Amino acid sequence: MTNNKLNFSPNRLRQLRKKHRFSQQFLSDLLGRLGLQVNQSTISRYETGKEIQEMPVLKAFAAILDTTVDYLKGNEK
């Protein structure tokens, strides 16, 4: 079994969500439209670093928030 969980920058996720003026619930709804079931409380845990996204969710965040996975992972400025 492979582990496809990865590290990312919780602060960048929160900052981009706020920059786009999305609530956690709205972001959750957008992910649901993409077929990813991520509720608001899970997004809250992502933003506080208590939980780490899996790659499909991270890719969806990047697409929705108009950024790259590398930026969300803290690998680019």
Side-chain angles (χ1 to χ4, degrees):
M1 180 188 281
T2 61
N3 181 356
N4 61 348
K5 295 203 182 231
L6 57 142
N7 291 321
F8 78 107
S9 174
N11 291 331
R12 287 185 177 192
L13 175 62
R14 182 176 35 258
Q15 289 168 351
L16 285 170
R17 178 183 58 79
K18 288 182 176 186
K19 177 182 174 185
H20 283 77
R21 298 180 184 201
F22 293 164
S23 68
Q24 291 175 344
Q25 184 59 55
F26 184 74
L27 187 54
S28 171
D29 294 343
L30 291 175
L31 290 169
R33 292 179 192 165
L34 296 174
L36 298 167
Q37 300 305 312
V38 179
N39 62 35
Q40 177 275 323
S41 62
T42 301
I43 291 174
S44 176
R45 288 192 304 275
Y46 289 165
E47 291 184 354
T48 58
K50 294 178 183 173
E51 194 166 314
I52 300 172
Q53 295 99 333
E54 294 182 1
M55 185 55 87
V57 176
L58 197 59
K59 286 180 179 178
F61 280 143
I64 291 168
L65 299 171
D66 194 30
T67 192
T68 65
V69 170
D70 279 338
Y71 181 81
L72 289 172
K73 289 171 62 178
N75 295 335
E76 61 183 51
K77 294 182 181 194

